[in-house]
Amino acid sequence: MQNKKIVISGSPGAGKTSVVMELYAKGHTVFNEYSRTIIEEGKAMGTANAFLSDPFAFSERLFLGRKEQFEHASSLSMKTKDPYVFFDRGLHDIFAYLDALGKANALWKESVTAFSYDLIFLLDPWESIYKKDAQRMETFEEAQQYFPYIKRIYEEDHQVVIVPKISVSKRVKFILHYLEDWNE
């Protein structure tokens, strides 16, 4: 038996990373958002927005990193008390972002849908908590445009749960409570 792979995804700036960090602080196994590493490397080389500069090269690197995370999660020993592994975004997000730019194709879709997660928690765009940072350069309006694409790709073959717009600690409680009921 393997750990359950749980994705926390949604619109940029919706609070995903804060939720994942809180899960980690509570002792859960997490895999952080891999794209931030690629964005920082691009900036160090003089590229302001690595994704928009070359969406396919960025997506390929992101795919390899997230695939490695997925495979690593599959190799972890099963924990009976806490059988969950949480991901700050999953492989399917790659297709969603390319789709939002009009650059998705069947090969990308086939590549990401070859991987399956056990459950997806999505966080809606939330303007009152949205903040730009060194890796998040889009406006709130631009960020929220990705959400329907993310939601659509995951809903094709995953169970999706929308996380309410409440504090980080309450979001984590919501997720953990949902998992308790779901796992029974």
mmCIF file with all atom_site columns, all heavy atoms in Angstrom, residues 157-179:
data_model
loop_
_atom_site.group_PDB
_atom_site.id
_atom_site.type_symbol
_atom_site.label_atom_id
_atom_site.label_alt_id
_atom_site.label_comp_id
_atom_site.label_asym_id
_atom_site.label_entity_id
_atom_site.label_seq_id
_atom_site.pdbx_PDB_ins_code
_atom_site.Cartn_x
_atom_site.Cartn_y
_atom_site.Cartn_z
_atom_site.occupancy
_atom_site.B_iso_or_equiv
_atom_site.pdbx_formal_charge
_atom_site.auth_seq_id
_atom_site.auth_comp_id
_atom_site.auth_asym_id
_atom_site.auth_atom_id
_atom_site.pdbx_PDB_model_num
ATOM 1   N N   . ASP A 1 157 ? -10.281 13.757 -14.379 1.00 0.00 ? 157 ASP A N   1
ATOM 2   C CA  . ASP A 1 157 ? -10.074 12.391 -13.883 1.00 0.00 ? 157 ASP A CA  1
ATOM 3   C C   . ASP A 1 157 ? -9.669  12.321 -12.413 1.00 0.00 ? 157 ASP A C   1
ATOM 4   O O   . ASP A 1 157 ? -9.056  11.347 -11.975 1.00 0.00 ? 157 ASP A O   1
ATOM 5   C CB  . ASP A 1 157 ? -9.054  11.647 -14.744 1.00 0.00 ? 157 ASP A CB  1
ATOM 6   C CG  . ASP A 1 157 ? -7.726  12.358 -14.870 1.00 0.00 ? 157 ASP A CG  1
ATOM 7   O OD1 . ASP A 1 157 ? -7.527  13.398 -14.221 1.00 0.00 ? 157 ASP A OD1 1
ATOM 8   O OD2 . ASP A 1 157 ? -6.857  11.862 -15.615 1.00 0.00 ? 157 ASP A OD2 1
ATOM 9   N N   . HIS A 1 158 ? -10.025 13.339 -11.657 1.00 0.00 ? 158 HIS A N   1
ATOM 10  C CA  . HIS A 1 158 ? -9.738  13.349 -10.222 1.00 0.00 ? 158 HIS A CA  1
ATOM 11  C C   . HIS A 1 158 ? -10.947 13.845 -9.435  1.00 0.00 ? 158 HIS A C   1
ATOM 12  O O   . HIS A 1 158 ? -11.745 14.617 -9.955  1.00 0.00 ? 158 HIS A O   1
ATOM 13  C CB  . HIS A 1 158 ? -8.566  14.290 -9.899  1.00 0.00 ? 158 HIS A CB  1
ATOM 14  C CG  . HIS A 1 158 ? -7.250  13.805 -10.378 1.00 0.00 ? 158 HIS A CG  1
ATOM 15  N ND1 . HIS A 1 158 ? -6.781  14.067 -11.646 1.00 0.00 ? 158 HIS A ND1 1
ATOM 16  C CD2 . HIS A 1 158 ? -6.282  13.078 -9.766  1.00 0.00 ? 158 HIS A CD2 1
ATOM 17  C CE1 . HIS A 1 158 ? -5.590  13.526 -11.788 1.00 0.00 ? 158 HIS A CE1 1
ATOM 18  N NE2 . HIS A 1 158 ? -5.267  12.911 -10.666 1.00 0.00 ? 158 HIS A NE2 1
ATOM 19  N N   . GLN A 1 159 ? -11.003 13.445 -8.179  1.00 0.00 ? 159 GLN A N   1
ATOM 20  C CA  . GLN A 1 159 ? -11.969 14.041 -7.275  1.00 0.00 ? 159 GLN A CA  1
ATOM 21  C C   . GLN A 1 159 ? -11.382 15.376 -6.822  1.00 0.00 ? 159 GLN A C   1
ATOM 22  O O   . GLN A 1 159 ? -10.231 15.435 -6.370  1.00 0.00 ? 159 GLN A O   1
ATOM 23  C CB  . GLN A 1 159 ? -12.214 13.133 -6.069  1.00 0.00 ? 159 GLN A CB  1
ATOM 24  C CG  . GLN A 1 159 ? -13.208 13.706 -5.088  1.00 0.00 ? 159 GLN A CG  1
ATOM 25  C CD  . GLN A 1 159 ? -13.404 12.817 -3.867  1.00 0.00 ? 159 GLN A CD  1
ATOM 26  O OE1 . GLN A 1 159 ? -12.946 11.676 -3.828  1.00 0.00 ? 159 GLN A OE1 1
ATOM 27  N NE2 . GLN A 1 159 ? -14.078 13.346 -2.882  1.00 0.00 ? 159 GLN A NE2 1
ATOM 28  N N   . VAL A 1 160 ? -12.185 16.441 -6.957  1.00 0.00 ? 160 VAL A N   1
ATOM 29  C CA  . VAL A 1 160 ? -11.731 17.791 -6.632  1.00 0.00 ? 160 VAL A CA  1
ATOM 30  C C   . VAL A 1 160 ? -12.585 18.345 -5.507  1.00 0.00 ? 160 VAL A C   1
ATOM 31  O O   . VAL A 1 160 ? -13.812 18.245 -5.538  1.00 0.00 ? 160 VAL A O   1
ATOM 32  C CB  . VAL A 1 160 ? -11.814 18.713 -7.872  1.00 0.00 ? 160 VAL A CB  1
ATOM 33  C CG1 . VAL A 1 160 ? -11.534 20.162 -7.512  1.00 0.00 ? 160 VAL A CG1 1
ATOM 34  C CG2 . VAL A 1 160 ? -10.852 18.227 -8.960  1.00 0.00 ? 160 VAL A CG2 1
ATOM 35  N N   . VAL A 1 161 ? -11.919 18.946 -4.520  1.00 0.00 ? 161 VAL A N   1
ATOM 36  C CA  . VAL A 1 161 ? -12.600 19.576 -3.388  1.00 0.00 ? 161 VAL A CA  1
ATOM 37  C C   . VAL A 1 161 ? -12.165 21.040 -3.352  1.00 0.00 ? 161 VAL A C   1
ATOM 38  O O   . VAL A 1 161 ? -10.961 21.335 -3.354  1.00 0.00 ? 161 VAL A O   1
ATOM 39  C CB  . VAL A 1 161 ? -12.216 18.890 -2.060  1.00 0.00 ? 161 VAL A CB  1
ATOM 40  C CG1 . VAL A 1 161 ? -12.890 19.586 -0.877  1.00 0.00 ? 161 VAL A CG1 1
ATOM 41  C CG2 . VAL A 1 161 ? -12.563 17.407 -2.103  1.00 0.00 ? 161 VAL A CG2 1
ATOM 42  N N   . ILE A 1 162 ? -13.136 21.944 -3.326  1.00 0.00 ? 162 ILE A N   1
ATOM 43  C CA  . ILE A 1 162 ? -12.835 23.368 -3.226  1.00 0.00 ? 162 ILE A CA  1
ATOM 44  C C   . ILE A 1 162 ? -12.683 23.723 -1.742  1.00 0.00 ? 162 ILE A C   1
ATOM 45  O O   . ILE A 1 162 ? -13.557 23.432 -0.934  1.00 0.00 ? 162 ILE A O   1
ATOM 46  C CB  . ILE A 1 162 ? -13.943 24.238 -3.870  1.00 0.00 ? 162 ILE A CB  1
ATOM 47  C CG1 . ILE A 1 162 ? -14.155 23.849 -5.345  1.00 0.00 ? 162 ILE A CG1 1
ATOM 48  C CG2 . ILE A 1 162 ? -13.626 25.723 -3.728  1.00 0.00 ? 162 ILE A CG2 1
ATOM 49  C CD1 . ILE A 1 162 ? -12.994 24.129 -6.270  1.00 0.00 ? 162 ILE A CD1 1
ATOM 50  N N   . VAL A 1 163 ? -11.567 24.351 -1.421  1.00 0.00 ? 163 VAL A N   1
ATOM 51  C CA  . VAL A 1 163 ? -11.286 24.752 -0.043  1.00 0.00 ? 163 VAL A CA  1
ATOM 52  C C   . VAL A 1 163 ? -11.879 26.147 0.177   1.00 0.00 ? 163 VAL A C   1
ATOM 53  O O   . VAL A 1 163 ? -11.651 27.049 -0.621  1.00 0.00 ? 163 VAL A O   1
ATOM 54  C CB  . VAL A 1 163 ? -9.760  24.764 0.222   1.00 0.00 ? 163 VAL A CB  1
ATOM 55  C CG1 . VAL A 1 163 ? -9.450  25.234 1.633   1.00 0.00 ? 163 VAL A CG1 1
ATOM 56  C CG2 . VAL A 1 163 ? -9.170  23.380 -0.044  1.00 0.00 ? 163 VAL A CG2 1
ATOM 57  N N   . PRO A 1 164 ? -12.638 26.323 1.244   1.00 0.00 ? 164 PRO A N   1
ATOM 58  C CA  . PRO A 1 164 ? -13.255 27.637 1.480   1.00 0.00 ? 164 PRO A CA  1
ATOM 59  C C   . PRO A 1 164 ? -12.221 28.732 1.767   1.00 0.00 ? 164 PRO A C   1
ATOM 60  O O   . PRO A 1 164 ? -11.094 28.448 2.172   1.00 0.00 ? 164 PRO A O   1
ATOM 61  C CB  . PRO A 1 164 ? -14.154 27.403 2.701   1.00 0.00 ? 164 PRO A CB  1
ATOM 62  C CG  . PRO A 1 164 ? -13.768 26.106 3.277   1.00 0.00 ? 164 PRO A CG  1
ATOM 63  C CD  . PRO A 1 164 ? -12.985 25.339 2.263   1.00 0.00 ? 164 PRO A CD  1
ATOM 64  N N   . LYS A 1 165 ? -12.651 29.965 1.561   1.00 0.00 ? 165 LYS A N   1
ATOM 65  C CA  . LYS A 1 165 ? -11.807 31.142 1.825   1.00 0.00 ? 165 LYS A CA  1
ATOM 66  C C   . LYS A 1 165 ? -11.901 31.486 3.309   1.00 0.00 ? 165 LYS A C   1
ATOM 67  O O   . LYS A 1 165 ? -12.734 32.291 3.721   1.00 0.00 ? 165 LYS A O   1
ATOM 68  C CB  . LYS A 1 165 ? -12.258 32.311 0.953   1.00 0.00 ? 165 LYS A CB  1
ATOM 69  C CG  . LYS A 1 165 ? -12.021 32.086 -0.518  1.00 0.00 ? 165 LYS A CG  1
ATOM 70  C CD  . LYS A 1 165 ? -12.543 33.249 -1.339  1.00 0.00 ? 165 LYS A CD  1
ATOM 71  C CE  . LYS A 1 165 ? -12.306 33.002 -2.810  1.00 0.00 ? 165 LYS A CE  1
ATOM 72  N NZ  . LYS A 1 165 ? -12.916 34.030 -3.648  1.00 0.00 ? 165 LYS A NZ  1
ATOM 73  N N   . ILE A 1 166 ? -11.033 30.843 4.079   1.00 0.00 ? 166 ILE A N   1
ATOM 74  C CA  . ILE A 1 166 ? -10.959 31.047 5.521   1.00 0.00 ? 166 ILE A CA  1
ATOM 75  C C   . ILE A 1 166 ? -9.479  31.121 5.889   1.00 0.00 ? 166 ILE A C   1
ATOM 76  O O   . ILE A 1 166 ? -8.617  30.966 5.018   1.00 0.00 ? 166 ILE A O   1
ATOM 77  C CB  . ILE A 1 166 ? -11.685 29.898 6.285   1.00 0.00 ? 166 ILE A CB  1
ATOM 78  C CG1 . ILE A 1 166 ? -11.239 28.526 5.762   1.00 0.00 ? 166 ILE A CG1 1
ATOM 79  C CG2 . ILE A 1 166 ? -13.199 30.044 6.164   1.00 0.00 ? 166 ILE A CG2 1
ATOM 80  C CD1 . ILE A 1 166 ? -11.939 27.313 6.395   1.00 0.00 ? 166 ILE A CD1 1
ATOM 81  N N   . SER A 1 167 ? -9.161  31.344 7.133   1.00 0.00 ? 167 SER A N   1
ATOM 82  C CA  . SER A 1 167 ? -7.760  31.473 7.555   1.00 0.00 ? 167 SER A CA  1
ATOM 83  C C   . SER A 1 167 ? -6.957  30.223 7.191   1.00 0.00 ? 167 SER A C   1
ATOM 84  O O   . SER A 1 167 ? -7.523  29.145 6.967   1.00 0.00 ? 167 SER A O   1
ATOM 85  C CB  . SER A 1 167 ? -7.690  31.726 9.055   1.00 0.00 ? 167 SER A CB  1
ATOM 86  O OG  . SER A 1 167 ? -8.034  30.546 9.762   1.00 0.00 ? 167 SER A OG  1
ATOM 87  N N   . VAL A 1 168 ? -5.646  30.375 7.169   1.00 0.00 ? 168 VAL A N   1
ATOM 88  C CA  . VAL A 1 168 ? -4.765  29.251 6.840   1.00 0.00 ? 168 VAL A CA  1
ATOM 89  C C   . VAL A 1 168 ? -5.004  28.090 7.792   1.00 0.00 ? 168 VAL A C   1
ATOM 90  O O   . VAL A 1 168 ? -5.160  26.941 7.366   1.00 0.00 ? 168 VAL A O   1
ATOM 91  C CB  . VAL A 1 168 ? -3.276  29.682 6.866   1.00 0.00 ? 168 VAL A CB  1
ATOM 92  C CG1 . VAL A 1 168 ? -2.352  28.476 6.704   1.00 0.00 ? 168 VAL A CG1 1
ATOM 93  C CG2 . VAL A 1 168 ? -2.993  30.709 5.783   1.00 0.00 ? 168 VAL A CG2 1
ATOM 94  N N   . SER A 1 169 ? -5.046  28.368 9.098   1.00 0.00 ? 169 SER A N   1
ATOM 95  C CA  . SER A 1 169 ? -5.230  27.270 10.066  1.00 0.00 ? 169 SER A CA  1
ATOM 96  C C   . SER A 1 169 ? -6.577  26.584 9.868   1.00 0.00 ? 169 SER A C   1
ATOM 97  O O   . SER A 1 169 ? -6.675  25.357 9.981   1.00 0.00 ? 169 SER A O   1
ATOM 98  C CB  . SER A 1 169 ? -5.075  27.772 11.496  1.00 0.00 ? 169 SER A CB  1
ATOM 99  O OG  . SER A 1 169 ? -6.049  28.739 11.791  1.00 0.00 ? 169 SER A OG  1
ATOM 100 N N   . LYS A 1 170 ? -7.611  27.355 9.537   1.00 0.00 ? 170 LYS A N   1
ATOM 101 C CA  . LYS A 1 170 ? -8.923  26.744 9.293   1.00 0.00 ? 170 LYS A CA  1
ATOM 102 C C   . LYS A 1 170 ? -8.938  25.974 7.980   1.00 0.00 ? 170 LYS A C   1
ATOM 103 O O   . LYS A 1 170 ? -9.627  24.957 7.868   1.00 0.00 ? 170 LYS A O   1
ATOM 104 C CB  . LYS A 1 170 ? -10.015 27.807 9.327   1.00 0.00 ? 170 LYS A CB  1
ATOM 105 C CG  . LYS A 1 170 ? -10.293 28.312 10.725  1.00 0.00 ? 170 LYS A CG  1
ATOM 106 C CD  . LYS A 1 170 ? -11.414 29.327 10.748  1.00 0.00 ? 170 LYS A CD  1
ATOM 107 C CE  . LYS A 1 170 ? -11.657 29.796 12.179  1.00 0.00 ? 170 LYS A CE  1
ATOM 108 N NZ  . LYS A 1 170 ? -12.666 30.858 12.232  1.00 0.00 ? 170 LYS A NZ  1
ATOM 109 N N   . ARG A 1 171 ? -8.198  26.436 6.993   1.00 0.00 ? 171 ARG A N   1
ATOM 110 C CA  . ARG A 1 171 ? -8.101  25.692 5.734   1.00 0.00 ? 171 ARG A CA  1
ATOM 111 C C   . ARG A 1 171 ? -7.440  24.336 5.987   1.00 0.00 ? 171 ARG A C   1
ATOM 112 O O   . ARG A 1 171 ? -7.872  23.316 5.469   1.00 0.00 ? 171 ARG A O   1
ATOM 113 C CB  . ARG A 1 171 ? -7.309  26.488 4.690   1.00 0.00 ? 171 ARG A CB  1
ATOM 114 C CG  . ARG A 1 171 ? -8.092  27.596 4.053   1.00 0.00 ? 171 ARG A CG  1
ATOM 115 C CD  . ARG A 1 171 ? -7.243  28.392 3.096   1.00 0.00 ? 171 ARG A CD  1
ATOM 116 N NE  . ARG A 1 171 ? -8.114  29.034 2.109   1.00 0.00 ? 171 ARG A NE  1
ATOM 117 C CZ  . ARG A 1 171 ? -7.681  29.673 1.042   1.00 0.00 ? 171 ARG A CZ  1
ATOM 118 N NH1 . ARG A 1 171 ? -6.381  29.758 0.796   1.00 0.00 ? 171 ARG A NH1 1
ATOM 119 N NH2 . ARG A 1 171 ? -8.531  30.224 0.200   1.00 0.00 ? 171 ARG A NH2 1
ATOM 120 N N   . VAL A 1 172 ? -6.367  24.349 6.771   1.00 0.00 ? 172 VAL A N   1
ATOM 121 C CA  . VAL A 1 172 ? -5.670  23.098 7.082   1.00 0.00 ? 172 VAL A CA  1
ATOM 122 C C   . VAL A 1 172 ? -6.599  22.173 7.858   1.00 0.00 ? 172 VAL A C   1
ATOM 123 O O   . VAL A 1 172 ? -6.671  20.972 7.559   1.00 0.00 ? 172 VAL A O   1
ATOM 124 C CB  . VAL A 1 172 ? -4.357  23.387 7.840   1.00 0.00 ? 172 VAL A CB  1
ATOM 125 C CG1 . VAL A 1 172 ? -3.750  22.102 8.400   1.00 0.00 ? 172 VAL A CG1 1
ATOM 126 C CG2 . VAL A 1 172 ? -3.364  24.085 6.917   1.00 0.00 ? 172 VAL A CG2 1
ATOM 127 N N   . LYS A 1 173 ? -7.326  22.689 8.817   1.00 0.00 ? 173 LYS A N   1
ATOM 128 C CA  . LYS A 1 173 ? -8.291  21.870 9.558   1.00 0.00 ? 173 LYS A CA  1
ATOM 129 C C   . LYS A 1 173 ? -9.347  21.297 8.620   1.00 0.00 ? 173 LYS A C   1
ATOM 130 O O   . LYS A 1 173 ? -9.725  20.134 8.737   1.00 0.00 ? 173 LYS A O   1
ATOM 131 C CB  . LYS A 1 173 ? -8.960  22.692 10.668  1.00 0.00 ? 173 LYS A CB  1
ATOM 132 C CG  . LYS A 1 173 ? -8.078  22.919 11.850  1.00 0.00 ? 173 LYS A CG  1
ATOM 133 C CD  . LYS A 1 173 ? -8.791  23.752 12.911  1.00 0.00 ? 173 LYS A CD  1
ATOM 134 C CE  . LYS A 1 173 ? -7.841  24.090 14.041  1.00 0.00 ? 173 LYS A CE  1
ATOM 135 N NZ  . LYS A 1 173 ? -8.429  25.005 15.011  1.00 0.00 ? 173 LYS A NZ  1
ATOM 136 N N   . PHE A 1 174 ? -9.836  22.126 7.684   1.00 0.00 ? 174 PHE A N   1
ATOM 137 C CA  . PHE A 1 174 ? -10.819 21.665 6.700   1.00 0.00 ? 174 PHE A CA  1
ATOM 138 C C   . PHE A 1 174 ? -10.254 20.491 5.901   1.00 0.00 ? 174 PHE A C   1
ATOM 139 O O   . PHE A 1 174 ? -10.912 19.457 5.732   1.00 0.00 ? 174 PHE A O   1
ATOM 140 C CB  . PHE A 1 174 ? -11.208 22.818 5.763   1.00 0.00 ? 174 PHE A CB  1
ATOM 141 C CG  . PHE A 1 174 ? -12.058 22.403 4.607   1.00 0.00 ? 174 PHE A CG  1
ATOM 142 C CD1 . PHE A 1 174 ? -13.442 22.332 4.729   1.00 0.00 ? 174 PHE A CD1 1
ATOM 143 C CD2 . PHE A 1 174 ? -11.492 22.061 3.379   1.00 0.00 ? 174 PHE A CD2 1
ATOM 144 C CE1 . PHE A 1 174 ? -14.242 21.935 3.660   1.00 0.00 ? 174 PHE A CE1 1
ATOM 145 C CE2 . PHE A 1 174 ? -12.275 21.661 2.305   1.00 0.00 ? 174 PHE A CE2 1
ATOM 146 C CZ  . PHE A 1 174 ? -13.657 21.603 2.448   1.00 0.00 ? 174 PHE A CZ  1
ATOM 147 N N   . ILE A 1 175 ? -9.037  20.639 5.408   1.00 0.00 ? 175 ILE A N   1
ATOM 148 C CA  . ILE A 1 175 ? -8.399  19.591 4.594   1.00 0.00 ? 175 ILE A CA  1
ATOM 149 C C   . ILE A 1 175 ? -8.216  18.313 5.403   1.00 0.00 ? 175 ILE A C   1
ATOM 150 O O   . ILE A 1 175 ? -8.576  17.220 4.952   1.00 0.00 ? 175 ILE A O   1
ATOM 151 C CB  . ILE A 1 175 ? -7.055  20.100 4.018   1.00 0.00 ? 175 ILE A CB  1
ATOM 152 C CG1 . ILE A 1 175 ? -7.329  21.162 2.939   1.00 0.00 ? 175 ILE A CG1 1
ATOM 153 C CG2 . ILE A 1 175 ? -6.212  18.945 3.467   1.00 0.00 ? 175 ILE A CG2 1
ATOM 154 C CD1 . ILE A 1 175 ? -6.104  21.942 2.511   1.00 0.00 ? 175 ILE A CD1 1
ATOM 155 N N   . LEU A 1 176 ? -7.669  18.438 6.594   1.00 0.00 ? 176 LEU A N   1
ATOM 156 C CA  . LEU A 1 176 ? -7.409  17.254 7.418   1.00 0.00 ? 176 LEU A CA  1
ATOM 157 C C   . LEU A 1 176 ? -8.704  16.572 7.847   1.00 0.00 ? 176 LEU A C   1
ATOM 158 O O   . LEU A 1 176 ? -8.787  15.339 7.857   1.00 0.00 ? 176 LEU A O   1
ATOM 159 C CB  . LEU A 1 176 ? -6.541  17.623 8.622   1.00 0.00 ? 176 LEU A CB  1
ATOM 160 C CG  . LEU A 1 176 ? -5.123  18.087 8.270   1.00 0.00 ? 176 LEU A CG  1
ATOM 161 C CD1 . LEU A 1 176 ? -4.387  18.541 9.525   1.00 0.00 ? 176 LEU A CD1 1
ATOM 162 C CD2 . LEU A 1 176 ? -4.345  17.011 7.519   1.00 0.00 ? 176 LEU A CD2 1
ATOM 163 N N   . HIS A 1 177 ? -9.714  17.364 8.172   1.00 0.00 ? 177 HIS A N   1
ATOM 164 C CA  . HIS A 1 177 ? -11.010 16.788 8.530   1.00 0.00 ? 177 HIS A CA  1
ATOM 165 C C   . HIS A 1 177 ? -11.622 16.062 7.325   1.00 0.00 ? 177 HIS A C   1
ATOM 166 O O   . HIS A 1 177 ? -12.163 14.958 7.452   1.00 0.00 ? 177 HIS A O   1
ATOM 167 C CB  . HIS A 1 177 ? -11.961 17.867 9.056   1.00 0.00 ? 177 HIS A CB  1
ATOM 168 C CG  . HIS A 1 177 ? -13.301 17.341 9.453   1.00 0.00 ? 177 HIS A CG  1
ATOM 169 N ND1 . HIS A 1 177 ? -13.493 16.577 10.595  1.00 0.00 ? 177 HIS A ND1 1
ATOM 170 C CD2 . HIS A 1 177 ? -14.506 17.432 8.856   1.00 0.00 ? 177 HIS A CD2 1
ATOM 171 C CE1 . HIS A 1 177 ? -14.760 16.228 10.660  1.00 0.00 ? 177 HIS A CE1 1
ATOM 172 N NE2 . HIS A 1 177 ? -15.402 16.735 9.629   1.00 0.00 ? 177 HIS A NE2 1
ATOM 173 N N   . TYR A 1 178 ? -11.523 16.686 6.154   1.00 0.00 ? 178 TYR A N   1
ATOM 174 C CA  . TYR A 1 178 ? -12.035 16.051 4.935   1.00 0.00 ? 178 TYR A CA  1
ATOM 175 C C   . TYR A 1 178 ? -11.332 14.712 4.708   1.00 0.00 ? 178 TYR A C   1
ATOM 176 O O   . TYR A 1 178 ? -11.968 13.712 4.382   1.00 0.00 ? 178 TYR A O   1
ATOM 177 C CB  . TYR A 1 178 ? -11.849 16.970 3.722   1.00 0.00 ? 178 TYR A CB  1
ATOM 178 C CG  . TYR A 1 178 ? -12.566 16.458 2.508   1.00 0.00 ? 178 TYR A CG  1
ATOM 179 C CD1 . TYR A 1 178 ? -13.839 16.933 2.205   1.00 0.00 ? 178 TYR A CD1 1
ATOM 180 C CD2 . TYR A 1 178 ? -12.011 15.480 1.685   1.00 0.00 ? 178 TYR A CD2 1
ATOM 181 C CE1 . TYR A 1 178 ? -14.540 16.441 1.113   1.00 0.00 ? 178 TYR A CE1 1
ATOM 182 C CE2 . TYR A 1 178 ? -12.703 14.981 0.603   1.00 0.00 ? 178 TYR A CE2 1
ATOM 183 C CZ  . TYR A 1 178 ? -13.972 15.461 0.320   1.00 0.00 ? 178 TYR A CZ  1
ATOM 184 O OH  . TYR A 1 178 ? -14.655 14.962 -0.756  1.00 0.00 ? 178 TYR A OH  1
ATOM 185 N N   . LEU A 1 179 ? -10.027 14.702 4.894   1.00 0.00 ? 179 LEU A N   1
ATOM 186 C CA  . LEU A 1 179 ? -9.269  13.471 4.687   1.00 0.00 ? 179 LEU A CA  1
ATOM 187 C C   . LEU A 1 179 ? -9.644  12.380 5.673   1.00 0.00 ? 179 LEU A C   1
ATOM 188 O O   . LEU A 1 179 ? -9.705  11.213 5.323   1.00 0.00 ? 179 LEU A O   1
ATOM 189 C CB  . LEU A 1 179 ? -7.752  13.753 4.749   1.00 0.00 ? 179 LEU A CB  1
ATOM 190 C CG  . LEU A 1 179 ? -7.187  14.536 3.566   1.00 0.00 ? 179 LEU A CG  1
ATOM 191 C CD1 . LEU A 1 179 ? -5.758  14.943 3.838   1.00 0.00 ? 179 LEU A CD1 1
ATOM 192 C CD2 . LEU A 1 179 ? -7.306  13.745 2.269   1.00 0.00 ? 179 LEU A CD2 1
#
